[in-house]
Amino acid sequence: MSLAPVLDLAEIAPAFADPTRESQAIFRRVMDAMARPGTIQDLPFAPDAPEGLDRAAGAVALTLFDFETPVWLAPALTDGPAERWLRFHAGCPLTAEPMHAAFALVTDLAAAPPLSAFNPGDAKYPDRSTTLVIQLPALTGGARVTLRGPGIKDEASLTLAGLPEGFWTQVQANHETFQFGVDLIFVAGDRLTALPRSTRVTITGD
């Protein structure tokens, strides 16, 4: 009979000092980012995260992941400090199947499955689609895209850094399936921004 691996608690880094207050604060930032696509939220109170995760990525994971949310975890994070940290603090089950994931934690977009591999929801439960938390080197400095849709007056823009070629084309295809499709949260350092599936993206490239 095989036994589940035992966590060495001495190796688990701490998380929120005040879990209720701090997770509520993070949740408000995430919801505000979703409600106002293209805006960047600062998380100066996010705790330090284990190797491989920025502070914002760890804070969002601690806030949104729980024992009822299967998580697809970037291969670079599996079997390491980040996986153990998430298993202990969030209790989230992991899945190797993108289509089964409620959340995905992506640290290398170029090596991750395409957006279309994740769960877009269905006619009965469109809200059960996958939300991807995507860690980038920076939320500014890349090619510009224009955003339009709910929560945006006229238009907004993003210049996310470190995106692989063809990524925005995937985002456009994801929007075309609305009300189905995945939602995206981008994190870097202690900052985040979000693109719900309802947002229409135009590639300007300047």
Side-chain angles (χ1 to χ4, degrees), residues 107-124:
T107 56
D108 182 357
L109 267 176
L115 299 184
S116 60
F118 293 93
N119 186 0
D122 56 42
K124 189 174 183 181

Side-chain angles (χ1 to χ4, degrees), residues 8-95:
D8 183 350
L9 299 185
E11 297 181 354
I12 305 298
F16 291 132
D18 184 342
T20 299
R21 182 181 62 82
E22 293 176 30
S23 63
Q24 288 175 347
I26 297 292
F27 186 76
R28 286 192 295 270
R29 301 291 198 287
V30 172
M31 291 299 99
D32 194 40
M34 281 288 187
R36 299 192 297 147
T39 60
I40 293 178
Q41 305 289 322
D42 292 317
L43 308 176
F45 47 86
D48 290 335
E51 180 182 357
L53 289 181
D54 287 346
R55 294 171 61 208
V60 171
L62 291 174
T63 299
L64 300 183
F65 302 176
D66 62 30
F67 68 95
E68 294 183 321
T69 58
V71 174
W72 184 90
L73 194 63
L77 300 178
T78 60
D79 298 322
E83 178 183 331
R84 292 190 290 271
W85 189 74
L86 289 170
R87 285 173 53 207
F88 178 75
H89 291 296
C92 53
L94 302 182
T95 178

Side-chain angles (χ1 to χ4, degrees), residues 2-206:
S2 62
L3 298 176
V6 177
L7 289 175
D8 183 350
L9 299 185
E11 297 181 354
I12 305 298
F16 291 132
D18 184 342
T20 299
R21 182 181 62 82
E22 293 176 30
S23 63
Q24 288 175 347
I26 297 292
F27 186 76
R28 286 192 295 270
R29 301 291 198 287
V30 172
M31 291 299 99
D32 194 40
M34 281 288 187
R36 299 192 297 147
T39 60
I40 293 178
Q41 305 289 322
D42 292 317
L43 308 176
F45 47 86
D48 290 335
E51 180 182 357
L53 289 181
D54 287 346
R55 294 171 61 208
V60 171
L62 291 174
T63 299
L64 300 183
F65 302 176
D66 62 30
F67 68 95
E68 294 183 321
T69 58
V71 174
W72 184 90
L73 194 63
L77 300 178
T78 60
D79 298 322
E83 178 183 331
R84 292 190 290 271
W85 189 74
L86 289 170
R87 285 173 53 207
F88 178 75
H89 291 296
C92 53
L94 302 182
T95 178
E97 299 296 331
M99 192 60 66
H100 297 163
F103 293 97
L105 187 51
V106 178
T107 56
D108 182 357
L109 267 176
L115 299 184
S116 60
F118 293 93
N119 186 0
D122 56 42
K124 189 174 183 181
Y125 300 110
D127 58 323
R128 293 187 181 179
S129 63
T130 306
T131 296
L132 283 78
V133 181
I134 300 172
Q135 182 170 289
L136 298 175
L139 300 184
T140 58
R144 184 177 302 277
V145 295
T146 300
L147 314 177
R148 296 181 178 88
I152 301 171
K153 183 179 180 180
D154 299 326
E155 64 181 37
S157 65
L158 277 176
T159 59
L160 303 178
L163 298 176
E165 183 177 355
F167 176 75
W168 286 122
T169 302
Q170 292 186 51
V171 174
Q172 290 176 320
N174 179 67
H175 169 74
E176 291 302 317
T177 66
F178 184 77
Q179 63 183 359
F180 309 118
V182 300
D183 295 317
L184 309 174
I185 300 171
F186 300 98
V187 294
D190 59 1
R191 309 172 83 198
L192 69 85
T193 190
L195 282 183
R197 71 196 84 170
S198 58
T199 302
R200 185 170 71 257
V201 173
T202 301
I203 303 169
T204 59
D206 57 355

